[in-house]
Amino acid sequence: MPLLPTLSTSFIVISAVLVAIGWWLIAKNKRKAHKGVMIAAAISALIFFIIYLSRTVFVGNTSFGGPDDIKIYYTIFLIFHIILATVGAVFGIVTLTLAFRRRIAKHRKIGPVTSIIWFFTALTGVAVYSLLYIIYDGGTTTSMIKAILGL
């Protein structure tokens, strides 16, 4: 297993687990603990992004190395994951901003939606990682655009 993709995927899983813990804590009305855990979740997601972006810039991305007859399905799934991750990141930033600005009523409304999006982002991210590095041998490592398009 390649080090950087494994490390970055681990951080996104940690982030999702921390979000789940944060959700449980706020349900128990443990606001201070909730805040700390959610900040840790955000930091974990940020570490993922820094590792991912660094790898993309300096090394490139790995294209799908599985069978050609399922490559189109992988590509569609990958695009879905990228859109979900982008939406999840934007929702996460908005949700954190609302909390830090003490706009708690809006934070309470958007927080559960953000959490669900983030859980699906983490799940689809693990699926992409598994398809690239565990189930099949990764293809060539190349630029992000070529990897997404399967070129």
Side-chain angles (χ1 to χ4, degrees), residues 20-39:
I21 293 168
W23 202 346
W24 179 81
L25 286 168
I26 202 61
K28 299 290 184 188
N29 205 27
K30 296 181 178 186
R31 291 185 179 123
K32 188 173 181 179
H34 168 78
K35 180 179 179 180
V37 168
M38 296 311 264
I39 290 170

Side-chain angles (χ1 to χ4, degrees), residues 44-55:
S44 180
L46 182 61
I47 292 170
F48 155 80
F49 184 71
I50 291 167
I51 294 169
Y52 177 81
L53 188 61
S54 298
R55 182 174 186 273

Side-chain angles (χ1 to χ4, degrees), residues 4-138:
L4 290 179
T6 303
L7 192 59
S8 65
T9 302
S10 298
F11 275 104
I12 211 61
V13 169
I14 291 166
S15 176
V17 169
L18 290 171
V19 167
I21 293 168
W23 202 346
W24 179 81
L25 286 168
I26 202 61
K28 299 290 184 188
N29 205 27
K30 296 181 178 186
R31 291 185 179 123
K32 188 173 181 179
H34 168 78
K35 180 179 179 180
V37 168
M38 296 311 264
I39 290 170
I43 291 169
S44 180
L46 182 61
I47 292 170
F48 155 80
F49 184 71
I50 291 167
I51 294 169
Y52 177 81
L53 188 61
S54 298
R55 182 174 186 273
T56 299
V57 169
F58 296 111
V59 179
N61 283 354
T62 303
S63 63
F64 182 66
D68 285 338
D69 60 333
I70 65 168
K71 184 180 264 186
I72 186 66
Y73 302 109
Y74 168 79
T75 302
I76 292 167
F77 186 79
L78 178 61
I79 291 168
F80 171 73
H81 168 69
I82 291 169
I83 292 168
L84 191 63
T86 302
V87 170
V90 170
F91 268 67
I93 291 166
V94 169
T95 304
L96 286 167
T97 301
L98 289 170
F100 286 124
R101 290 187 178 171
R102 307 295 300 152
R103 298 182 68 187
I104 301 304
K106 287 186 178 183
H107 174 79
R108 283 182 182 152
K109 287 182 181 178
I110 196 174
V113 174
T114 304
S115 297
I116 291 166
I117 293 169
W118 203 248
F119 296 141
F120 280 105
T121 299
L123 284 171
T124 58
V126 170
V128 167
Y129 171 83
S130 297
L131 288 165
L132 280 180
Y133 302 108
I134 297 174
I135 298 170
Y136 303 108
D137 291 331

